[in-house]
Every structure is written in C-alpha cells, then in structure tokens.
Amino acid sequence: MLLFAVMVASLAHAQSVYIATSNSAVAYHKSRDCGYLNNAKTVRPVSLSDAKEMGRHACTACYGKSEGAATKSATRAAASRKTVAKDNNADELPVTKKATTARKSAKKVQADAEKEVKDAKADTKKTVTKSTKTMKKSASDAEKEAVTAKKTVKKSAKKVASDAEKEATATKKTVKKTTKKAVKKATEKTVKEAA
C-alpha cells in the first residue's frame, strides 16, 4: 500500500487528469471521455497534484473502485487537515463561490421576507383606514337619520297638537252651540208653560 502511494505521488506531478469545473464536481478523471463528464458544461485538464489540492478524488469509473475509494478517503483526510490549517488562519480564508452564493441567497430571502412584512403592514394600514372611514361614514349617516327622525317626530307632534287643538276648538264651539240651543229651548219651554 505504501509503495502504491509513493507511485501515485510520483506520477501525480507529471500526469494530467480532467475535472469538471462546476462547484458540485468532486472527482478527477483519467480521460475526457469518462461517462461522468458527459453532462459537464466545462471540462479542463489539470495536473494530478492540482486536482488533489482542490480536494478531488479519483473517479471510480476511470481508476476502479478500490483506487477511487482509497483516494477518496485520502482526499478527505487531506481536506480535513487543510480545513484545520485554514481554520487556524481564518483571517486569510478566501470567500468561496458557494459561500458567496449562499450569502446572496440568504440576503434575497431576507429582502423578500422584509418586503412581505412591509406589504402586510401597508395592507393592514389600508384596511384599518378603510374601516375607520366606513365607521365614520356609518356614524355620520346614523346621526343624520337621528336628526331627520327628530325633526319628523317634532313636526308630527306639532301637527297632532294642532289637530287636537282644532278638534278641541270645534268641540267647544259645538258644545257652546248645543248649550245655547238647549238653553233657548228650555227658556222657550219655560215661557210657554208660564203663559
């Protein structure tokens, strides 16, 4: 196994491999014609040592499962050591494309959420304003109806009082007339009887 690692290391400096340039690519390939590279938008040749420094492992289709698995675990271990070293020099870490994309995505989500909150506040304000206007109009309409009803009742009361007064006057006149007739008749009767 040690001999294998030494051979791979010596060949790594001189050997060219192929990598897909997408962020999700994790392997290096022996041939440009590897089936795993068919859907890659961009493929470029790099040295084996550069591919390993990028954290890539051997493609299991190109190099076989055992070598692919061995380089995969070795690459993970190297990446782990590299991460620890980078964490120790965190101020010097470059911002990765994935981190930038994630940051942009988070900012967009935050901006969208803030816009939704702002829109909801505006909608609530419009609804409250509309409700307030409706309530004020309803109160104003009710007040107008009350004033109109009061005037109608007052007018009706005056008319009823006026009609009652007229009726009372008419009744009084009728009673007076009837009384005069009765007195006149009674007087005539008394005069007739006395004569």
Side-chain angles (χ1 to χ4, degrees):
M1 189 67 144
L2 181 63
L3 181 62
F4 174 74
V6 171
M7 285 176 47
V8 170
S10 65
L11 290 173
H13 293 290
Q15 190 178 3
S16 268
V17 293
Y18 297 89
I19 62 167
T21 57
S22 70
N23 287 335
S24 61
V26 293
Y28 58 86
H29 306 267
K30 241 184 214 183
S31 166
R32 168 70 179 93
D33 299 325
C34 175
Y36 287 115
L37 292 175
N38 286 344
N39 293 328
K41 289 184 181 177
T42 309
V43 176
R44 67 182 177 112
V46 296
S47 71
L48 181 59
S49 60
D50 286 347
K52 286 184 177 182
E53 280 183 31
M54 290 179 202
R56 307 291 177 103
H57 61 80
C59 168
T60 55
C62 296
Y63 293 94
K65 287 188 179 183
S66 62
E67 188 176 337
T71 58
K72 195 175 200 178
S73 63
T75 303
R76 283 187 188 150
S80 175
R81 286 191 301 277
K82 205 179 254 188
T83 302
V84 169
K86 282 185 178 180
D87 286 347
N88 291 337
N89 299 321
D91 294 338
E92 300 169 17
L93 280 177
V95 176
T96 65
K97 194 171 186 179
K98 283 183 181 179
T100 302
T101 303
R103 195 174 299 122
K104 284 180 183 176
S105 178
K107 282 183 179 179
K108 184 175 180 347
V109 167
Q110 182 180 0
D112 290 347
E114 287 173 356
K115 186 180 182 312
E116 285 182 28
V117 168
K118 187 178 178 182
D119 291 348
K121 282 182 180 178
D123 289 347
T124 302
K125 188 175 181 179
K126 285 178 186 175
T127 303
V128 167
T129 303
K130 189 175 180 180
S131 295
T132 303
K133 285 180 180 177
T134 303
M135 287 172 49
K136 284 181 180 178
K137 186 176 180 337
S138 295
S140 175
D141 291 348
E143 194 175 323
K144 286 177 184 174
E145 285 179 27
V147 168
T148 303
K150 190 176 178 180
K151 285 180 182 177
T152 303
V153 167
K154 201 174 188 178
K155 193 175 183 181
S156 294
K158 279 185 180 178
K159 186 170 182 342
V160 167
S162 173
D163 290 348
E165 196 175 313
K166 286 178 185 175
E167 198 175 312
T169 303
T171 304
K172 197 176 179 182
K173 285 181 183 176
T174 304
V175 168
K176 203 175 190 180
K177 207 179 207 183
T178 306
T179 306
K180 265 188 180 179
K181 277 186 183 179
V183 169
K184 189 175 179 183
K185 206 175 186 183
T187 306
E188 286 176 6
K189 189 176 175 183
T190 306
V191 170
K192 244 186 194 183
E193 284 177 9

